[in-house]
Amino acid sequence: MARALAELRSWPALAVSDTRRGVAFAVRGTEILRLTGGDEVRVRLTAPAIDRLEPYLRDCDQVQACSDRAWVAVQVDAAPDLDLLLALTSVAIKEHVA
């Protein structure tokens, strides 16, 4: 998770903050990533983005739906999971700056 945190801190579009729930990243004032502890990261993709990606996400064991349909939980256990997290973060940024 340290590698993910270091990589995400270097992205100029993201503002980082330490909250009582953990480290969070925002774009244009909207929180889009939340490190929840352990190896899980919550990503705010938006419901329309999740609907578009659903055929790919449903077969991915590392991604789980959250109760708030705008968010997904990503389990980051290995290097390929980090690549997935970074790709989903890119989608989240694009969804919130459009």
Side-chain angles (χ1 to χ4, degrees), residues 2-58:
R3 184 172 163 216
L5 189 57
E7 175 74 25
L8 293 167
R9 284 183 187 271
S10 73
W11 289 24
L14 295 175
V16 64
S17 62
D18 292 310
T19 70
R20 59 184 163 83
R21 294 181 285 172
V23 177
F25 292 86
V27 63
R28 292 189 176 174
T30 300
E31 184 179 330
I32 64 164
L33 287 174
R34 186 180 308 143
L35 281 69
T36 59
D39 295 328
E40 184 181 277
V41 179
R42 300 272 171 124
V43 183
R44 180 183 283 173
L45 291 173
T46 72
I50 292 170
D51 289 344
R52 284 193 313 274
L53 295 172
E54 195 274 332
Y56 308 102
L57 297 177
R58 77 170 153 232

Side-chain angles (χ1 to χ4, degrees), residues 57-73:
L57 297 177
R58 77 170 153 232
D59 294 329
C60 182
D61 292 336
Q62 298 306 103
V63 178
Q64 301 297 319
C66 294
S67 58
D68 179 339
R69 279 206 11 91
W71 291 81
V72 295

